[in-house]
Amino acid sequence: MVSLQFSMSCLITFTFLVTLTAAQKVVHHNCSDISGSFTRNSTYNANLNRLLSTFSSNISANDYGFYNISYGQGPDAANGIALCRGDVNSDVCLRCIKNATTELRNRCSNEKEAIIWYDYCMLRYTNRSIMGVMQLGPYFVMNNTNNVMVTDGDAFNQALSALLDILISNASSGNASGKFATGTLQKIKALVQCTPDLTAIQCGSCLYHCVFSRVRKSNVKLETNHEPNEPVEDHEISSAECIQYDFSIIRDATNDFSDANKLGQGGFGAVYKGKLSSGELIAVKRIATESGQGDVEFINEVQLMAQLQHRNLVRLLGFCLEGNERLLVYEFVPNASLDQFLFDPVKCANLDWEKRYKIIAGIARGLLYLHEDSRLRIIHRNLKASNVLLDAEMNPKISDFGMARLCPLDQTQSATSRIAGTYTGYMAPEYAMQGHFSAKSDVFSYGVLVLELLSGRENNAFDNGENVEDLLSYAWRNWKDGTAMDFVDDRLKDGSKDEQMRCIHIGLLCVQEDVAQRPNMASVVVMLTSHSITLPLPSPSAIFMNNNT
Ligand SMILES: *[C@@H]1O[C@H](CO)[C@@H](O)[C@H](O)[C@H]1NC(C)=O
Ligand SMILES: *[C@@H]1O[C@H](CO)[C@@H](O)[C@H](O)[C@H]1NC(C)=O
Ligand SMILES: *[C@@H]1O[C@H](CO)[C@@H](O)[C@H](O)[C@H]1NC(C)=O
Ligand SMILES: *[C@@H]1O[C@H](CO)[C@@H](O)[C@H](O)[C@H]1NC(C)=O
Ligand SMILES: *[C@@H]1O[C@H](CO)[C@@H](O)[C@H](O)[C@H]1NC(C)=O
Ligand SMILES: *[C@@H]1O[C@H](CO)[C@@H](O)[C@H](O)[C@H]1NC(C)=O
Ligand SMILES: *[C@@H]1O[C@H](CO)[C@@H](O)[C@H](O)[C@H]1NC(C)=O
Ligand SMILES: *[C@@H]1O[C@H](CO)[C@@H](O)[C@H](O)[C@H]1NC(C)=O
Ligand SMILES: *[C@@H]1O[C@H](CO)[C@@H](O)[C@H](O)[C@H]1NC(C)=O
Ligand SMILES: *[C@@H]1O[C@H](CO)[C@@H](O)[C@H](O)[C@H]1NC(C)=O
C-alpha cells in the first residue's frame, strides 16, 4: 500500500516497508493560469529566467533543503521556492532542483504560476507572495497500484492514524530549519513534511487537511428488497455495507416503537432502541418531518452517509422505507448522550478529567473527519452535548450528522424552525442571526462544548437573567483576569492543569466573534496534539461582545 499526498505546502506519504520504491522521475506538475500568463518580452519572463537559472546553478547547498528566491517587484515579481524531501542529501537535492527548473519551464511555457513535484524535490514559482502562506491546492493523490493484503482494515487505519499523529506533531514543531518527520509503526512507514516557512499551526493543519485514502474493502452488496424477484445488484460502495431493512423487522425490534423503547426525541424525529433477532442492538430514528425528497434520492444519501466511518461518529447501518415511513438504523451506543452525564449532579462524577479530555479530543477528530476527510464535507449544524453519544469505554461518538442531506427542508421551513425554538447556546452568532452556516459555525459549537466540559456547566446564555453571566463571558473574563482555573469544574482539580489551560484557550479561540479568526478543525486537532505549539491569543467571544454593546 503506497499512498502519497502532495499539496502546495505539505506532503504526506505512507507505505508498507516491503513495497517502498523510489524512482527519480517527475511525479506531477500543474501549470496554473490563476495569475495569468506572460509574453516572451515581458519583465516577468526576464525575472523568471533569472530565478530559474539561479535555482539551476547558483544556490549553495544548505542542510535543510529549502530555498527561496525572488526577483523583481509588484505584479512582475517572480517568487520561487524549492524544497527537497527531508531525507535526501544536498547533492541529490541540488541535482533534482536543477532538473526541475528545465522540466517545469518546458511543461508550463507561459503561465505565471507553476509547480512540479519529483520524488525528491518540488519547485514552484508565481508572481504572488509565497513565503509564510499556506496553500492547499493544487494537490494530488497517488494510489497504490499493487495489491497488498490487509487483514484488519480498522487496525491498519488506527496504526496509521497513531503514527501520523506523532509525525505531524514532530514535523509541525520543527523550527525554520526543517519541518520534516518520518517513522515506522507496525510495518507502516510514513513521512510528512512542510515547507519550513510555515508556522507550526499552519503546518499541522495543512497535514491534517489531507483526505486520506484508507484501506478499502472490496465491493460490498446492497440488498435492495424492493423488488423481491429482481436479482440482487452489486453496487460499488467503498468500505460500507448499507442495508435496507424490512419494516416488520424494525417494528418487531423496537416493540412496535413502544414508549419504553424510546431513547429520545430529536429535531428530525424520535429515536428508539431496538434489538434484532440476531441479538444486535440498534438505534432507530423515525423521521417525522416531511421532505420533498424522493425515495431514490433518499437511498442515495443514505448510501453516502453509510460510507462515513470513523470511530468518533455513530455509524449508520441502513434504512427502511415503507409508505410514508422513513427510518434510519444506527449502531446502538450504550452510554447515552454526553449531556446526561455532564449536567447531572450525580452522574458527572463519572467524568474525570482524563475522560473529558478524551471526549474533547475525540469530538475534534470526528468533526475534522466530517469537515475535511470524508469527501462529502459535511457541516454538522447541530453539534451539542445531546448529540454526542458515549460508548462503553466513554469514547465520544457524534450523532445526527448529515441530517440536512437526508431530510432537506425548504428554505422557509428551516428558517422557521431555526427561529421557532431550535436555537441553542451552541449556535454561532452568524448562524443564529443571518442563517450563515459553515464549518466555522461548527467550530463555534465545538468551542462551547469544550467550555462546557471544562466547567461542567451548560451554556444557556439567552435564558439567563441580567445577573447571570453566560458561560462564554464567564470563561473569557476568567481567562483575561488570569483566573482561568476558577472556571474549571471543582471536580477536575486532580487533572492536568496544563491540559485544562490549553483547552480553555482552544475553546475561547473557537468561539470568537470573527469567523475568520476561529481555527478550523485541523488546527484544533494540531493544538490538542502538539503541546509545544504556541497558540494565538483569542479575541473576545461573540456573546461577550454582544453583552457589552
Ligand atoms: C512585447 O512585444 C509585443 C509585440 O510583440 C509588444 O506589443 C509589447 O509592447 C511588448 N511588451 C514589452 C513589455 O516590451
Ligand atoms: C551567483 O551568486 C552570486 C552571489 O549570490 C553572485 O555574485 C553571482 O553573480 C551569481 N552568478 C550567476 C552566474 O548568476
Ligand atoms: C528567503 O530568502 C531571503 C533572501 O535570500 C532570506 O533572507 C530568508 O531567510 C529566506 N527565508 C527562508 C525561510 O529561507
Ligand atoms: C500577477 O500577475 C497578474 C497579471 O498577469 C496580475 O493580475 C496580478 O495582480 C499579479 N499578482 C500580484 C500579487 O501582483
Ligand atoms: C536529472 O535528470 C537526469 C536526466 O534526465 C536523470 O538521469 C537524473 O536521475 C535526474 N536527477 C534527479 C535527482 O532527479
Ligand atoms: C491544477 O491546479 C488547479 C488549481 O488547484 C486545479 O483546479 C487543476 O485541476 C489542476 N490541474 C491538474 C492537471 O492537476
Ligand atoms: C484512486 O482510487 C480511488 C478509489 O478507487 C479513485 O476514485 C481515484 O480516482 C484513484 N485516483 C487515481 C489518481 O488513480
Ligand atoms: C532546529 O532544530 C534542529 C533539530 O532539533 C537543531 O539541530 C537546530 O539547531 C535548530 N535550529 C535553530 C535555528 O534553532
Ligand atoms: C518525535 O519527537 C520526539 C521528541 O523530540 C522524539 O522523542 C521522537 O523520537 C520523535 N518521533 C518520531 C517518530 O519522529
Ligand atoms: C458504560 O457502558 C458500559 C457498558 O454498557 C457499562 O459497563 C458502564 O458502566 C457504563 N459507564 C458508565 C459510566 O455508566
Side-chain angles (χ1 to χ4, degrees), residues 212-274:
F212 234 97
S213 50
R214 292 158 205 277
V215 175
R216 288 156 204 287
K217 292 182 191 154
S218 51
N219 301 353
V220 280
K221 282 181 182 144
L222 176 78
E223 288 172 26
T224 46
N225 37 7
H226 256 256
E227 295 291 334
N229 297 328
E230 257 178 33
V232 175
E233 264 183 78
D234 270 358
H235 292 250
E236 277 210 1
I237 306 171
S238 59
S239 66
E241 188 167 14
C242 181
I243 301 170
Q244 177 164 12
Y245 292 89
D246 215 67
F247 185 70
S248 62
I249 289 177
I250 302 299
R251 196 181 48 211
D252 293 351
T254 57
N255 201 5
D256 201 6
F257 305 99
S258 72
D259 280 347
N261 282 44
K262 194 162 166 177
L263 293 168
Q265 177 79 39
F268 292 92
V271 181
Y272 298 86
K273 181 177 180 173

Side-chain angles (χ1 to χ4, degrees), residues 5-144:
Q5 169 128 7
F6 298 80
S7 77
M8 264 323 199
S9 315
C10 59
L11 72 90
I12 288 188
T13 83
F14 69 88
T15 164
F16 268 127
L17 287 176
V18 284
T19 58
L20 182 62
T21 60
Q24 297 174 23
K25 56 180 199 296
V26 177
V27 174
H28 194 76
H29 76 281
N30 188 307
C31 316
S32 163
D33 56 8
I34 195 162
S35 295
S37 52
F38 60 86
T39 51
R40 267 179 164 280
N41 61 356
S42 63
T43 313
Y44 184 79
N45 191 23
N47 287 333
L48 180 60
N49 284 340
R50 211 173 140 209
L51 178 108
L52 292 175
S53 101
T54 306
F55 269 127
S56 161
S57 51
N58 205 16
I59 49 179
S60 43
N62 60 37
D63 286 343
Y64 46 97
F66 180 65
Y67 304 92
N68 83 83
I69 298 172
S70 288
Y71 289 121
Q73 308 288 326
D76 293 323
N79 307 309
I81 55 172
L83 176 71
C84 288
R85 223 170 67 184
D87 56 353
V88 306
N89 70 39
S90 52
D91 276 357
V92 175
C93 173
L94 293 189
R95 263 187 279 128
C96 181
I97 293 173
K98 188 181 174 75
N99 282 7
T101 56
T102 9
E103 198 62 41
L104 189 54
R105 197 57 211 270
N106 289 342
R107 289 173 184 236
C108 304
S109 52
N110 61 0
E111 289 86 358
K112 280 194 160 177
E113 188 160 321
I115 183 165
I116 190 165
W117 289 274
Y118 282 72
D119 282 322
Y120 289 160
C121 71
M122 64 155 243
L123 173 72
R124 174 186 166 202
Y125 59 75
T126 173
N127 72 333
R128 300 193 278 177
S129 49
I130 206 167
M131 297 296 286
V133 180
M134 179 185 83
Q135 236 181 287
L136 297 169
Y139 75 95
F140 74 101
V141 180
M142 283 168 68
N143 289 340
N144 180 25

Side-chain angles (χ1 to χ4, degrees), residues 377-434:
R377 293 178 183 271
I378 304 274
I379 295 166
H380 191 295
R381 298 212 235 169
N382 198 16
L383 183 69
K384 52 184 177 183
S386 58
N387 276 337
V388 174
L389 307 186
L390 298 168
D391 75 4
E393 280 86 44
M394 304 298 270
N395 292 305
K397 284 174 180 278
I398 299 172
S399 73
D400 233 29
F401 53 86
M403 290 312 289
R405 297 181 64 132
L406 291 165
C407 314
L409 302 169
D410 67 50
Q411 275 317 98
T412 49
Q413 256 179 309
S414 60
T416 317
S417 61
R418 187 152 43 79
I419 293 155
T422 51
Y423 181 81
T424 67
Y426 295 94
M427 257 179 155
E430 73 278 4
Y431 184 22
M433 289 163 199
Q434 286 122 41

Side-chain angles (χ1 to χ4, degrees), residues 371 379 426-445 447 506-521 523-524 527 536-543 545-546:
H371 286 176
I379 295 166
Y426 295 94
M427 257 179 155
E430 73 278 4
Y431 184 22
M433 289 163 199
Q434 286 122 41
H436 295 162
F437 62 86
S438 67
K440 291 290 185 76
S441 48
D442 277 356
V443 169
F444 183 95
S445 311
I506 293 170
L508 286 171
L509 288 171
C510 292
V511 299
Q512 290 174 107
E513 167 103 48
D514 182 355
V515 179
Q517 295 269 312
R518 292 177 211 151
N520 57 32
M521 286 316 296
S523 304
V524 170
M527 295 176 194
L537 290 180
S539 55
S541 73
I543 309 302
M545 302 274 289
N546 290 341

Side-chain angles (χ1 to χ4, degrees), residues 64 173-178:
Y64 46 97
S173 49
N175 57 30
S177 301

Side-chain angles (χ1 to χ4, degrees), residues 425-466:
Y426 295 94
M427 257 179 155
E430 73 278 4
Y431 184 22
M433 289 163 199
Q434 286 122 41
H436 295 162
F437 62 86
S438 67
K440 291 290 185 76
S441 48
D442 277 356
V443 169
F444 183 95
S445 311
Y446 174 78
V448 174
L449 253 177
V450 169
L451 295 174
E452 289 184 336
L453 276 154
L454 279 156
S455 63
R457 300 185 195 198
E458 212 167 342
N459 181 37
N460 37 18
F462 288 88
D463 303 341
N464 285 352
E466 301 89 6

